[in-house]
Amino acid sequence: MLKNNGIKNTGMMIRFKRILLSKIFLLLVFAPILLPAKTIKVGPNENINSLKKALGIANVNDTVIIKKGIYNEAPLVVTRPIFLLGEDFPVLDGQNKNEILLIKSNNVVVKGIFFKNAGISFIHDNAAVKLDSVSNCVIEGNKFSENFFSIYLSNSSFCKIIGNQITAHSKRETYSGNGIHLWYCNNIIIEKNKISGHRDGIYLEFVSKSKIDNNFSEKNLRYGLHFMFSDSCSYTNNIFQKNGAGVAVMYSRFISMCNNYFQYNWGSASYGLLLKEISDIRVDSNRFNKNTVGIYLEGCSRIKIFHNDFVNNGYAVRLMSNSVNNVFKKNNFIGNAFEVATNSRTNFNEFDYNYWSDYSGYDLNKDGIGDVPYHPVKLFSIIVEKNRPALILLRSFFISILDFAEKIFPTITPETLIDKNPLMKKIV
């Protein structure tokens, strides 16, 4: 009897110990979550004057308020979901040596902080703020100055980059990073940022399902916005001006580009919009003003270019012969030196119902459509494609005679590249 009771009591004790241990384990794991969120203040006159210490004691969902001052504690690492808020833009200085803030947790918010001098590193890609393999983070309302990379997202998703001011004064592409850099990301929102002076203002590589809206990108050494191998994204209502080139979209599909301004992207090898090896894209209701080339297309197919304004560009459109099945419809071509240039006599693209400011045809039945097809490719543009120094003859009387003769007896310009229904009035 005593023996049986001993066995029974021993079994109960084992079960009790197991339950107790499991409860202790759960308490240790979830204790930080169960604790109420608190506010930690950091500053020269606060009890805590070290930002690194504040990040070390912060628990899940705590708010760390950084008072005005200069903090030379980089590199800093965030490993828990917290709110990191600056008052009067405290300065986090990388001292031209370090990465400044590395975020390795989901659900982190960073607001109101001035990041400067993230050091150059071609091995580690130093950034002022780097998000590594995270989701649902927000980088909003911060200032960035003279950083190698300013905001860098790697393997991240569902993050927002909103309302940041990002500046640098880089002189050479090889010693400059990008303003906002995304690598292997999806579902990212980039909105209302001002970016200048980097290699690329915004750079996307292997990115999908992301939106770039209402940004202002200027004076970047290479591109204002650059897509590489990125599908199913859109950019809308942005301004790209005075960059090496406005926007480059390469090796990508299903991109929507609407209501953007491409202006003053001017130089010997500059473009408003460079499209290379892409397909199934929509370019709608954009304005191309005073660019060396409005749109350059190489190896492109099934692109719909509708309702755009091409005004006072060197070339409105340069269309390479390996681009096929693209449609230009209901665009305004006004005051460009060359409306369309190509390097081939064949054409597999469609131009229809566009307005051409130098169209000199007539409309006898008053239906708003010219009775004579328009040839947008001038003989002189063909000559310039083959011999660029001939450009010095632009606007000369001889060239006008040459183009007029080609209109009557076309021999060199592509006969099939015509607009059969040129509009008599500008599309409003």
Side-chain angles (χ1 to χ4, degrees):
M1 187 68 183
L2 285 172
K3 187 176 180 182
N4 291 339
N5 285 343
I7 293 171
K8 188 175 180 180
N9 290 337
T10 302
M12 290 179 63
M13 286 297 293
I14 291 171
R15 283 199 299 275
F16 176 74
K17 285 181 179 178
R18 285 177 177 171
I19 293 171
L20 183 61
L21 287 171
S22 65
K23 287 186 175 179
I24 292 172
F25 174 77
L26 292 172
L27 187 63
L28 289 173
V29 171
F30 294 103
I33 300 175
L34 298 175
L35 289 172
K38 61 182 183 297
T39 298
I40 302 170
K41 294 184 179 180
V42 186
N45 301 316
E46 301 293 333
N47 291 331
I48 300 173
N49 57 18
S50 164
L51 184 52
K52 192 168 285 187
K53 182 179 179 182
L55 294 176
I57 64 174
N59 289 316
V60 174
N61 295 328
D62 282 355
T63 299
V64 176
I65 295 179
I66 310 171
K67 298 287 187 176
K68 188 173 184 178
I70 299 175
Y71 300 83
N72 299 325
E73 300 179 71
L76 299 160
V77 183
V78 177
T79 57
R80 300 180 185 88
I82 61 169
F83 297 86
L84 194 58
L85 309 181
E87 278 191 4
D88 299 322
F89 290 100
V91 177
L92 273 59
D93 194 338
Q95 300 179 299
N96 293 312
K97 295 183 294 186
N98 301 308
E99 185 164 271
I100 300 176
L101 184 66
L102 173 62
I103 297 174
K104 294 183 72 67
S105 169
N106 300 334
N107 303 304
V108 174
V109 177
V110 178
K111 284 187 178 182
I113 300 173
F114 187 4
F115 298 90
K116 70 176 188 179
N117 301 328
I120 295 174
S121 171
F122 296 101
I123 297 174
H124 301 293
D125 285 345
N126 280 350
V129 177
K130 182 179 285 184
L131 286 73
D132 186 7
S133 307
V134 300
S135 63
N136 297 307
C137 292
V138 178
I139 311 298
E140 182 175 1
N142 302 285
K143 295 180 180 179
F144 297 83
S145 178
E146 309 303 339
N147 299 291
F148 185 45
F149 287 86
S150 287
I151 302 173
Y152 192 123
L153 277 70
S154 171
N155 279 309
S156 297
S157 59
F158 297 100
C159 295
K160 296 179 180 178
I161 303 169
I162 301 175
N164 301 285
Q165 295 183 30
I166 303 169
T167 59
H169 297 84
S170 303
K171 303 295 182 186
R172 298 168 58 187
E173 288 184 16
T174 50
Y175 281 87
S176 174
N178 302 316
I180 299 173
H181 183 104
L182 273 60
W183 187 76
Y184 271 105
C185 296
N186 65 78
N187 292 285
I188 306 295
I189 292 176
I190 302 173
E191 187 176 283
K192 297 179 180 176
N193 301 284
K194 292 182 178 179
I195 312 149
S196 68
H198 281 273
R199 179 175 58 196
D200 291 342
I202 303 170
Y203 178 84
L204 289 73
E205 185 170 0
F206 300 109
V207 174
S208 64
K209 299 177 183 176
S210 296
K211 294 182 177 180
I212 302 108
D213 298 334
N214 295 295
N215 298 282
F216 183 80
S217 183
E218 70 165 354
K219 298 179 181 176
N220 296 289
L221 297 176
R222 192 168 61 178
Y223 303 118
L225 170 62
H226 189 182
F227 288 82
M228 291 292 285
F229 310 105
S230 296
D231 298 338
S232 305
C233 297
S234 69
Y235 64 93
T236 307
N237 295 320
N238 302 281
I239 298 174
F240 306 102
Q241 70 175 19
K242 298 181 180 178
N243 298 286
V247 176
V249 185
M250 303 180 183
Y251 311 104
S252 303
R253 298 184 303 161
F254 308 118
I255 307 290
S256 175
M257 320 174 192
C258 300
N259 296 306
N260 301 287
Y261 276 76
F262 302 82
Q263 53 191 12
Y264 312 121
N265 299 293
W266 199 266
S268 57
S270 190
Y271 310 92
L273 175 58
L274 167 63
L275 304 177
K276 182 178 175 66
E277 303 293 342
I278 62 172
S279 60
D280 300 298
I281 281 177
R282 177 173 162 233
V283 183
D284 197 332
S285 303
N286 302 282
R287 183 178 177 85
F288 299 86
N289 182 42
K290 293 188 176 179
N291 303 283
T292 302
V293 179
I295 300 182
Y296 175 88
L297 299 95
E298 180 179 336
C300 300
S301 60
R302 299 186 301 278
I303 298 177
K304 295 180 178 178
I305 301 176
F306 293 175
H307 312 114
N308 301 283
D309 290 336
F310 297 89
V311 181
N312 296 328
N313 300 283
Y315 296 83
V317 174
R318 286 188 68 196
L319 183 61
M320 297 297 102
S321 59
N322 56 359
S323 294
V324 298
N325 297 324
N326 303 297
V327 180
F328 296 77
K329 187 173 285 187
K330 294 187 176 180
N331 302 287
N332 289 314
F333 290 84
I334 301 170
N336 304 290
F338 300 107
E339 307 294 15
V340 179
T342 182
N343 60 349
S344 172
R345 291 199 62 204
T346 58
N347 171 56
F348 302 99
N349 303 282
E350 178 185 353
F351 287 80
D352 214 3
Y353 294 101
N354 299 288
Y355 171 76
W356 310 90
S357 62
D358 64 348
Y359 176 64
S360 56
Y362 44 83
D363 178 18
L364 294 179
N365 60 0
K366 305 297 181 185
D367 64 352
I369 299 172
D371 297 340
V372 181
Y374 178 76
H375 293 257
V377 180
K378 296 179 181 177
L379 173 58
F380 185 49
S381 71
I382 297 283
I383 295 172
V384 170
E385 281 294 317
K386 296 180 179 178
N387 189 0
R388 196 52 64 93
L391 198 57
I392 197 172
L393 298 172
L394 181 67
R395 312 290 185 199
S396 70
F397 181 63
F398 171 73
I399 297 303
S400 299
I401 294 174
L402 205 63
D403 283 333
F404 183 74
E406 180 70 11
K407 282 183 181 177
I408 300 173
F409 305 107
T411 56
I412 297 178
T413 55
E415 294 181 38
T416 57
L417 202 163
I418 59 173
D419 188 335
K420 295 180 180 178
N421 299 289
L423 300 179
M424 299 301 293
K425 292 183 178 179
K426 175 186 171 185
I427 303 166
V428 180

